[in-house]
Amino acid sequence: MAGHSKWANIQHRKGRQDAARSKLFSKLSKEITVAAKMGDPDPDKNPRLRLAVKEAKSNSVPKDVIDRAIKKSQAGEGDEYEEIRYEGYGPNGVAVIVEAMTDNRNRTASNVRSTFTKNGGNLGETGSVGFMFERKGEVSYPAEVGDADTVMMAAIEAGAEDVESSEDGHIIYCADTDLNEVSNALEGELGESESTKLVWKPTTTTELDLEGMQKLMKLVDALEDDDDVQRVTTNFEASDEVMEQL
């Protein structure tokens, strides 16, 4: 399985969950506010907002926090945010995509650049690593919803493109523009998903040893600690032995 889907497991093992929870809540709330601002405040009429709310719920964001984030958009908050994508290389030439939402482009660019530099990476131009990824919709289900064949059949029926099944669960991929439709169809067959979001899926990966993984994790952790950064994606690949040592 490509490295990006192992990242949550690493963080879980490191016990960062609680420490990062409030930061995660604020990032998910920001996405909800901006999505509601860009379209209808009703999630049923706004696919982006619906996905943002779904992702927030799957991360246990309380309903009142979600409602407050939608209300903020109606009060004029979220006007000043712009979405920016940064691309660069981490230690050992791993490709890194950083998605940010900011009200101060200069501050964010400066922070992201210095974080790359301090952690053995370098920020590139837009497009410098993007060609190594595809924009996809990703829907995750726990292993217990069914065996690989059951999930594969449901995914085909829903119009998905690919399924990766393992003992950790099932990850279903579809075209980015089909995510709302595919996730709704899957929900009818398999129930509520663990996660539904747009991702950058690596088309080529870079194999890392233990030292390389530790350096990369340091960079990704530092980037994710920035309030303006919404999501970090890399194209690392690592053996199970390496993952177990982290």
Side-chain angles (χ1 to χ4, degrees), residues 183-221:
S183 67
N184 285 342
L186 286 168
E187 214 166 278
E189 284 294 313
L190 303 173
E192 189 80 26
S193 66
E194 276 187 329
S195 170
T196 300
K197 60 192 175 189
L198 287 167
V199 298
W200 292 99
K201 186 172 187 272
T203 52
T204 60
T205 55
T206 299
E207 181 81 28
L208 292 181
D209 59 12
L210 181 60
E211 188 187 350
M213 276 303 303
Q214 288 167 334
K215 285 179 181 172
L216 179 64
M217 285 170 69
K218 202 170 159 213
L219 168 62
V220 173
D221 287 347

Side-chain angles (χ1 to χ4, degrees), residues 141-147 150-151 170 189-192:
Y141 278 94
E144 55 269 22
V145 297
D147 60 24
T150 305
V151 174
H170 309 278
E189 284 294 313
L190 303 173
E192 189 80 26

Side-chain angles (χ1 to χ4, degrees), residues 15-225:
R16 289 185 83 239
Q17 230 83 342
D18 291 338
R21 189 163 289 279
S22 64
K23 200 174 276 284
L24 178 64
F25 279 15
S26 80
K27 291 182 184 198
L28 292 166
S29 296
K30 192 193 283 188
E31 166 63 23
I32 289 170
T33 301
V34 170
K37 191 81 203 168
M38 289 170 67
D40 196 288
D42 178 355
D44 291 333
K45 297 176 187 166
N46 180 339
R48 177 170 173 174
L49 177 58
R50 182 180 174 280
L51 291 173
V53 168
K54 194 167 185 180
E55 189 62 15
K57 284 179 177 171
S58 76
N59 282 284
S60 309
V61 176
K63 187 176 186 301
D64 64 313
V65 175
I66 293 170
D67 291 342
R68 202 157 57 237
I70 293 174
K71 285 198 182 86
K72 274 186 183 176
S73 74
Q74 305 315 292
E77 290 191 43
D79 290 3
E80 68 281 12
Y81 289 122
E82 60 175 323
E83 294 175 276
I84 308 172
R85 187 173 85 240
Y86 299 97
E87 300 180 20
Y89 288 95
N92 302 299
V94 172
V96 183
I97 292 181
V98 180
E99 294 170 270
M101 208 177 271
T102 181
D103 56 359
N104 185 328
R105 181 186 275 260
N106 291 339
R107 175 192 68 219
T108 309
S110 170
N111 289 348
V112 168
R113 186 179 299 282
S114 86
T115 302
F116 266 93
T117 306
K118 283 178 193 164
N119 291 280
N122 58 294
L123 191 60
E125 299 294 316
T126 301
S128 59
V129 303
F131 66 93
M132 296 187 223
F133 298 80
E134 290 177 323
R135 193 65 163 157
K136 294 289 179 191
E138 180 189 278
V139 187
S140 304
Y141 278 94
E144 55 269 22
V145 297
D147 60 24
D149 288 344
T150 305
V151 174
M152 178 66 82
M153 287 309 296
I156 291 167
E157 287 290 317
E161 295 177 347
D162 191 20
V163 181
E164 291 178 2
S165 293
S166 72
E167 59 190 25
D168 297 327
H170 309 278
I171 300 177
I172 299 157
Y173 293 103
C174 63
D176 56 346
T177 49
D178 296 342
L179 181 56
N180 194 45
E181 203 175 296
V182 169
S183 67
N184 285 342
L186 286 168
E187 214 166 278
E189 284 294 313
L190 303 173
E192 189 80 26
S193 66
E194 276 187 329
S195 170
T196 300
K197 60 192 175 189
L198 287 167
V199 298
W200 292 99
K201 186 172 187 272
T203 52
T204 60
T205 55
T206 299
E207 181 81 28
L208 292 181
D209 59 12
L210 181 60
E211 188 187 350
M213 276 303 303
Q214 288 167 334
K215 285 179 181 172
L216 179 64
M217 285 170 69
K218 202 170 159 213
L219 168 62
V220 173
D221 287 347
L223 286 166
E224 287 183 340
D225 278 340

